[in-house]
Amino acid sequence: MKQKLLSMFFVCIMLAGAAFAQDRRITGKVTSKEDGLPLPGVSIKATGSSAATQTDVSGNYSISVTSSVKSLEFTYIGFLSQNVTIGNKVAINIALVTDAKQLSEIVVTGYGTQRRADFTGAQSSVKAADIANTPILSPEQALQGRAAGVQVTQSSGTPGGGISIRIRGTSSIGASSQPLYVVDGVPISTGSYTQVAAGGQLSNALSDINPSEIESIEVLKDAAASAIYGSRAANGVVIVNTKRGVNQTTKISFNSYFGTQQVNKLLPLVSGQQYIELLNESVANRYGAGTNYNWLTGLSADPKTYANTDWQNEIFRSADIKNYDLSARGGNDKTKFSVSGSYFDQQGIVIASGFKRWSGRVNLDNQATEKLKLSLSAGFNSSVSNRINNDNNINGVVSASILLGSHVPVYNANGTYGKDPISSVDNPVASAVERIFLNTSNRLLTSGSAEYQILPSLTFKSQLSLDYLTTKDRNYNPTTTNTGAASAGSGSEGQNQEVNYVTENILNFNKTFADKHVLNLTGVFSYQESNYENLLASATGFPTNDFTRLSSGAVRVTTASGGSSYALESYVARANYSFDNKYVIQGSVRVDGSSRFGADKRYGTFPAVSAAWNISEESFLKNVSSISNLKLRGSYGIVGNQEIGNFTSLQLVGGGANYLQQSGLSPSQLGNTILSWENTSSIDLGLDLGMFKNRLTFTFDAYQKKTEDLLLGQPLVGSSGFLTIQSNIGKLENKGLEFGLTGVIFDKKDFSWTSNLNLSFNKNKVLEISGNPFAAGFASWVAPGGSLGDFRGYRTDGIFQNAAEIAAAPIHTKTASALTSTAPGDQRFKDLNGDGRITADDQEIIGNGMPTYFGGFTNNFRYKNFDLSAFVQFSGGNQIYNNTRAFSEGMNSIFGQTTAVLERWTPTNPSTTMPRAVYADPNNNRRTSDRFLESGDFLRMKNISLSYTFSPKVLSKLKVSNFKLYVAGQNLFTITKYSGLDPEVSTFSDTNTAPGTDFLTFPQAKTYTFGLNLTF
């Protein structure tokens, strides 16, 4: 009995000791410090013990430890490991920090991915987090100011309007200079598909892509990166990757923002009374004292009898903008999915303008077997754009608000719209609200692929993709507008359809030998075919404005239809070799065959070679703690451009009513059997530097691009029946420097500050063109030895003050009838060739519309749960030809005028730079001169946002995994000397030859938004 009691005593002691040693349970939650989301699958290990566990799908964990365990170690792929001392704690919640170096190990490239250490090209990346809380409409807006060497120009504030992108300068004159866009591996159709003109405005097929679906955007800039796309890569390549599913329990996210937009700036215009006084003065200066406005119109000459309308106030408004996104993402080891839907609604800041888009996307990845992976990406978008006439159109809405005199009332006493009886400018309110001007678009973008692992190091992937795009235009001009009144109502409708399918087969070999040799081989066969059809019809003579369909029109003006197609067959080979993470060499070659070129030149070959030296991996630097990364890069390659008409190389014959309304055939185009690609050779030298564990990173690139065999029209003698034939004639060059600097300036528990700066310089030069130099736009000039974007015109030389000055000056020839002599108050011009006359020979290059430098500066601050982000965009070194001023300061016709003309020359106000008012004077404003040339430099607060992320404690009570609120502002202010509405302007939108001209352009809006991000 005594022995049994003793045994029981020892057992109790042991059990008590065991209980004392193990009866300690630690619980908590692990989240991401970057966005506050829970992290499932985080490994938690008790140091000095075998105890370990993982977080569940909500980031929660529980672990039992003994008293001897002093700390817990948390590890997770893509995040920095963290060791936390236990002490007396029974609950430990932590937020893991993203490991920037680890996440940046993989780079998305053409037809695959690469380790960053092995990457030899020049490439810029924009991630989803970079554009969060930003009310952008399309992918190219996400690149604005955020990628070195990428110039994004939103030339018009029209909702859903065209946006121009130039990667390392303009590489063509006659063909497109827009980059190739690849969405989830699919080269997509881009550009404007509208058939009904709305001034200089273009529609934008890329507005069909929902930015909230984007995971990342990669911009391939040099030949090493982009030559894999060969004949379409001369202008760079933009790869868009959408969000895909992850291995986690389904997460449902709802993101939304709403806000208001306002016009940033208005032009100061003269009052109605001042306008009539000015017009009376200009008529008297032309036809003699005592002659005034009523001589032209029969209306009152008394300024006090007229209205005083603020037309800009009538057409600009505070406009709503809103967006709703709902998504579900998740999956397991076998199947991962991402499903999302979105609704976007943007009213324009000009009455009657706006854009709406409905979009949905499904991305699926399934590991069907151990070796077979199936993937599907499908996105559908439908949009409606309410358009208005504007941009390079005096009958546009913004245009008319400047050019219609303030003396005209919005409505007459009888309720009809006010008009100027001798002006062609329409009433802007009538032009906006009375017209029907709709553009609708539907797009299906889908691809499916199967990837089979033949060997551990060898995979084969086959992918079939479809880009199906339909658009429809509908326009009706009622009799309440000038255009409609002239034809008893006029209407037009157009339809477009483009079906673009791509099939690609990709063989990839990737293997590491002896831990030092890494070899990657890629082979691709690709075939693409596009079929396009269009239909356009118009009519006039409608019975009333209540009948707006074409069937109600009495006169059929236009009935036209057409179809076109092209095909591209491609063969690609690429090899990457890396030794010991130090030395990398890459080579690729692509052979493209295009139906767009001559039978003798259908195939083109586009090679590229590049190399990199990871100096930081060398023994003499590997132990230098201050240098985390140092790499030298170099590349050379040849890429092409095929963006011209589909049948430009062929001799064409057209049918129709060619003579006396009888059907027949006639030649419509001369053929060129040797027409071929534009070829752009590119050299790039780059340096990547990371210091202090990559807290400071620096990137530098210097490049030269030379385009040869430019696709241009070669002039012909008129007797041939044709003026030009498409040929490969001409050379163009771009040189530039790019800088990128990123720094983690401060990083503590409660406060952090990071900054990013990118700066680019580019110089363009026209080396050779066919034929003579030629004019473009209003003031642009293209000539060998010059640059694209050059402005050519007269040099001003002050104002004539008296007859003696006029007599001593060169003869200023005028051409208008009854106005042949120069008078005091007229503009004086320089006689550059010294022949005693001011003629066209006295013009010279007076400026350039292309910025010589541009970039962006971003600062991100975090204090506890608050985040502040500020992004500044800047551009400069260019001029803007302000053709709006040529009309609104011309004082020579019946157009509204700005208050600048109040400083005009008069006998009592001779000390001025503004010439006198003369009706129909071709001298003072009709000559293209430096009078209307202004600096285009600007610095813009592009986006600023302040957000608050609720703590895990609050989230647990709300039973959500993430909840963020934010306020943001876009285009809040612009620092510039430019006098127009917006310095980021180009009336001719996606032009190669006439950038930087402003003529009555729809300005960008200032936007304030409030939003939330919520995840369940």
Side-chain angles (χ1 to χ4, degrees):
M1 184 67 178
K2 185 177 180 180
Q3 187 175 3
K4 288 182 179 180
L5 291 173
L6 187 63
S7 298
M8 291 177 64
F9 174 76
F10 279 113
V11 169
C12 289
I13 292 293
M14 293 176 65
L15 290 173
F20 180 81
Q22 281 188 274
D23 280 353
R24 189 172 189 196
R25 184 171 295 277
I26 308 295
T27 60
K29 186 171 186 176
V30 184
T31 59
S32 166
K33 190 174 183 179
E34 181 178 1
D35 54 21
L37 292 176
L39 297 176
V42 176
S43 296
I44 300 123
K45 186 176 185 303
T47 55
S49 167
S50 60
T53 188
Q54 285 189 337
T55 57
D56 62 18
V57 294
S58 299
N60 298 314
Y61 73 94
S62 175
I63 185 172
S64 296
V65 298
T66 65
S67 59
S68 62
V69 175
K70 303 300 182 185
S71 62
L72 297 179
E73 183 181 22
F74 298 81
T75 58
Y76 193 54
I77 295 174
F79 291 79
L80 295 173
S81 298
Q82 189 168 337
N83 200 290
V84 180
T85 301
I86 296 176
N88 296 323
K89 301 172 185 174
V90 293
I92 299 176
N93 298 321
I94 69 164
L96 295 183
V97 177
T98 302
D99 185 347
K101 182 177 181 181
Q102 198 178 127
L103 288 179
S104 63
E105 286 299 319
I106 301 299
V107 180
V108 177
T109 62
Y111 300 107
T113 59
Q114 281 184 262
R115 299 190 312 163
R116 185 167 291 278
D118 297 340
F119 189 66
T120 57
Q123 183 167 326
S124 293
S125 301
V126 175
K127 305 300 183 185
D130 298 329
I131 57 176
N133 308 341
T134 305
I136 58 176
L137 175 63
S138 56
E140 59 276 55
Q141 288 179 298
L143 298 173
Q144 194 165 32
R146 291 183 170 91
V150 182
Q151 182 190 0
V152 181
T153 304
Q154 187 171 342
S155 56
S156 174
T158 305
I163 295 176
S164 173
I165 286 192
R166 297 291 182 265
I167 298 176
R168 294 187 166 182
T170 299
S171 299
S172 183
I173 295 178
S176 172
S177 287
Q178 290 277 47
L180 171 70
Y181 288 87
V182 180
V183 179
D184 289 337
V186 185
I188 66 170
S189 303
T190 60
S192 179
Y193 281 80
T194 181
Q195 293 191 80
V196 180
Q201 297 179 38
L202 301 176
S203 65
N204 181 13
L206 282 172
S207 63
D208 292 329
I209 309 299
N210 180 12
S212 63
E213 297 172 351
I214 295 174
E215 181 67 34
S216 68
I217 303 176
E218 308 291 336
V219 184
L220 314 185
K221 299 185 289 188
D222 73 332
S226 62
I228 196 76
Y229 290 102
S231 65
R232 295 172 292 179
N235 306 316
V237 181
V238 177
I239 299 178
V240 178
N241 302 293
T242 61
K243 296 175 181 177
R244 309 198 72 83
V246 292
N247 187 356
Q248 66 177 26
T249 300
T250 301
K251 295 293 182 184
I252 299 175
S253 297
F254 175 72
N255 302 318
S256 178
Y257 63 79
F258 60 91
T260 184
Q261 307 160 94
Q262 301 170 358
V263 64
N264 259 303
K265 181 181 180 181
L266 299 175
L267 296 184
L269 300 174
V270 298
S271 67
Q273 290 75 26
Q274 290 169 330
Y275 177 82
I276 295 299
E277 290 172 357
L278 173 68
L279 195 56
N280 284 339
E281 181 182 320
S282 70
V283 171
N285 283 339
R286 169 68 188 271
Y287 297 106
T291 313
N292 49 42
Y293 182 58
N294 69 331
W295 179 82
L296 293 170
T297 65
L299 301 178
S300 172
D302 182 2
K304 295 179 182 179
T305 63
Y306 289 90
N308 184 26
T309 305
D310 186 340
W311 286 112
Q312 292 176 99
N313 187 57
E314 294 291 337
I315 62 109
F316 285 115
R317 65 179 175 181
S318 292
D320 293 341
I321 183 172
K322 51 193 172 184
N323 185 73
Y324 306 96
D325 290 308
L326 182 64
S327 64
R329 293 184 177 88
N332 51 37
D333 293 338
K334 289 288 186 180
T335 303
K336 301 176 181 65
F337 69 90
S338 174
V339 181
S340 62
S342 176
Y343 171 66
F344 176 85
D345 184 0
Q346 179 185 12
Q347 293 182 346
I349 56 173
V350 176
I351 55 175
S353 64
F355 179 87
K356 295 181 181 181
R357 178 184 60 211
W358 299 261
S359 61
R361 173 167 287 277
V362 177
N363 288 345
L364 295 174
D365 298 289
N366 176 252
Q367 194 70 44
T369 68
E370 184 179 351
K371 293 187 176 183
L372 178 63
K373 178 182 178 181
L374 304 176
S375 295
L376 172 70
S377 297
F380 176 77
N381 297 273
S382 180
S383 65
V384 177
S385 177
N386 290 304
R387 306 177 69 197
I388 58 172
N389 270 326
N390 220 78
D391 303 2
N392 190 23
N393 184 347
I394 63 172
N395 286 315
V397 180
V398 176
S399 315
S401 74
I402 297 170
L403 296 185
L404 185 61
S406 304
H407 67 298
V408 178
V410 180
Y411 301 101
N412 296 317
N414 61 2
T416 60
Y417 286 100
K419 296 185 178 183
D420 188 326
I422 62 170
S423 174
S424 60
V425 179
D426 212 340
N427 182 310
V429 175
S431 180
V433 302
E434 295 293 332
R435 279 190 170 100
I436 296 174
F437 213 146
L438 296 175
N439 175 266
T440 61
S441 173
N442 294 288
R443 187 171 203 164
L444 175 64
L445 184 61
T446 182
S447 65
S449 67
E451 183 176 335
Y452 186 77
Q453 187 175 8
I454 303 171
L455 299 170
S457 56
L458 182 65
T459 61
F460 174 76
K461 180 179 181 180
S462 184
Q463 178 170 294
L464 179 63
S465 307
L466 172 69
D467 183 8
Y468 178 72
L469 175 65
T470 65
T471 65
K472 183 172 73 173
D473 292 298
R474 183 178 171 222
N475 171 239
Y476 178 72
N477 301 299
T479 55
T480 47
T481 64
N482 287 354
T483 304
S487 55
S490 64
S492 56
E493 295 191 23
Q495 294 189 10
N496 300 276
Q497 174 183 285
E498 183 158 10
V499 182
N500 182 18
Y501 70 86
V502 185
T503 176
E504 292 182 321
N505 296 282
I506 306 168
L507 190 64
N508 185 267
F509 176 82
N510 193 358
K511 189 173 180 62
T512 300
F513 303 91
D515 295 328
K516 289 188 176 183
H517 305 271
V518 179
L519 180 63
N520 179 267
L521 303 175
T522 302
V524 181
F525 168 72
S526 174
Y527 179 80
Q528 179 175 354
E529 184 172 318
S530 176
N531 294 282
Y532 171 78
E533 293 183 356
N534 69 293
L535 179 67
L536 177 65
S538 61
T540 61
F542 289 76
T544 74
N545 291 328
D546 295 322
F547 294 83
T548 61
R549 289 294 187 176
L550 300 188
S551 58
S552 299
V555 180
R556 304 295 188 268
V557 179
T558 302
T559 303
S561 66
S564 183
S565 65
Y566 75 89
L568 187 71
E569 184 180 79
S570 307
Y571 306 88
V572 183
R574 179 174 62 193
N576 301 336
Y577 171 72
S578 170
F579 173 70
D580 201 20
N581 287 331
K582 298 178 183 178
Y583 316 110
V584 187
I585 187 169
Q586 173 180 310
S588 68
V589 62
R590 177 168 181 139
V591 177
D592 279 321
S594 174
S595 63
R596 288 176 168 170
F597 296 113
D600 300 333
K601 293 285 187 177
R602 190 142 290 172
Y603 284 86
T605 302
F606 305 95
V609 63
S610 58
W613 178 23
N614 289 307
I615 307 173
S616 53
E617 294 296 321
E618 298 287 358
S619 57
F620 58 83
L621 276 184
K622 200 158 190 177
N623 295 321
V624 178
S625 59
S626 60
I627 298 179
S628 0
N629 177 51
L630 179 61
K631 180 198 284 187
L632 285 176
R633 297 176 281 106
S635 70
Y636 173 80
I638 299 174
V639 285
N641 190 343
Q642 64 148 10
E643 297 307 313
I644 58 171
N646 289 338
F647 305 121
T648 312
S649 66
L650 301 179
Q651 184 165 325
L652 300 181
V653 174
N658 295 295
Y659 182 68
L660 296 178
Q661 298 299 309
Q662 299 297 311
S663 62
L665 299 175
S666 63
S668 60
Q669 177 179 284
L670 290 179
N672 185 350
T673 60
I674 60 172
L675 186 70
S676 188
W677 326 86
E678 288 184 350
N679 290 303
T680 299
S681 59
S682 172
I683 299 174
D684 183 273
L685 296 175
L687 170 71
D688 300 327
L689 173 64
M691 302 185 69
F692 313 115
K693 296 183 180 180
N694 282 338
R695 288 193 59 157
L696 181 68
T697 59
F698 173 76
T699 300
F700 166 77
D701 281 273
Y703 63 87
Q704 180 189 45
K705 293 169 56 179
K706 182 179 288 188
T707 303
E708 299 183 336
D709 299 328
L710 286 174
L711 290 163
L712 288 172
Q714 182 178 357
L716 299 174
V717 294
S719 59
S720 67
F722 296 90
L723 297 178
T724 62
I725 182 173
Q726 188 77 297
S727 302
N728 293 107
I729 299 178
K731 297 179 182 179
L732 189 65
E733 181 183 66
N734 286 277
K735 295 180 179 179
L737 303 173
E738 297 170 1
F739 301 88
L741 181 65
T742 300
V744 180
I745 300 172
F746 200 85
D747 188 15
K748 295 296 181 182
K749 179 180 178 181
D750 289 335
F751 179 73
S752 65
W753 175 14
T754 62
S755 288
N756 176 275
L757 171 69
N758 69 81
L759 176 62
S760 305
F761 298 88
N762 186 76
K763 175 63 177 175
N764 173 279
K765 188 174 183 180
V766 179
L767 302 178
E768 179 183 312
I769 60 173
S770 61
N772 297 319
F774 61 90
F778 295 117
S780 300
W781 187 253
V782 180
S787 300
L788 291 180
D790 277 347
F791 295 120
R792 184 172 182 264
Y794 296 93
R795 294 285 185 184
T796 56
D797 192 24
I799 304 293
F800 285 115
Q801 297 295 334
N802 50 57
E805 285 187 9
I806 295 172
I811 299 172
H812 284 55
T813 305
K814 298 186 177 185
T815 57
S817 61
L819 185 65
T820 57
S821 61
T822 302
D826 281 346
Q827 186 77 62
R828 179 167 55 193
F829 300 95
K830 292 183 179 180
D831 180 15
L832 298 180
N833 65 357
D835 66 354
R837 302 177 66 86
I838 302 300
T839 65
D841 294 334
D842 292 304
Q843 297 183 74
E844 66 175 3
I845 301 302
I846 56 177
N848 188 277
M850 284 190 174
T852 58
Y853 68 89
F854 55 88
F857 184 40
T858 303
N859 284 277
N860 295 304
F861 304 91
R862 178 193 56 81
Y863 177 69
K864 293 186 177 179
N865 291 4
F866 289 94
D867 290 274
L868 175 66
S869 177
F871 167 47
V872 174
Q873 172 199 1
F874 57 86
S875 176
N878 63 300
Q879 289 76 42
I880 298 173
Y881 188 76
N882 192 343
N883 202 52
T884 301
R885 283 179 52 207
F887 280 68
S888 65
E889 294 180 12
M891 300 176 290
N892 78 322
S893 189
I894 43 265
F895 290 125
Q897 303 289 288
T898 66
T899 55
V901 302
L902 299 179
E903 299 299 320
R904 64 189 178 276
W905 187 96
T906 65
T908 58
N909 184 40
S911 300
T912 180
T913 58
M914 181 70 62
R916 67 179 181 139
V918 185
Y919 184 80
D921 178 13
N923 180 63
N924 290 335
N925 87 317
R926 287 306 186 205
R927 292 186 192 269
T928 301
S929 72
D930 58 6
R931 174 185 166 189
F932 305 114
L933 203 64
E934 301 183 47
S935 170
D937 298 2
F938 72 88
L939 183 146
R940 170 170 286 164
M941 177 55 72
K942 191 64 181 176
N943 191 71
I944 184 168
S945 65
L946 175 65
S947 65
Y948 179 81
T949 303
F950 288 89
S951 65
K953 183 178 180 180
V954 175
L955 296 179
S956 63
K957 292 181 179 180
L958 297 175
K959 297 183 179 181
V960 298
S961 57
N962 182 55
F963 187 20
K964 177 190 288 187
L965 298 174
Y966 66 87
V967 292
Q970 190 176 39
N971 300 328
L972 293 187
F973 63 83
T974 302
I975 300 173
T976 182
K977 294 181 179 179
Y978 182 59
S979 66
L981 293 175
D982 192 344
E984 187 184 336
V985 66
S986 183
T987 288
F988 300 103
S989 193
D990 187 30
T991 177
N992 292 333
T993 57
T997 294
D998 185 2
F999 187 46
L1000 309 166
T1001 305
F1002 194 133
Q1004 294 187 60
K1006 174 168 54 180
T1007 306
Y1008 302 93
T1009 54
F1010 171 80
L1012 62 87
N1013 301 329
L1014 185 62
T1015 302
F1016 298 91

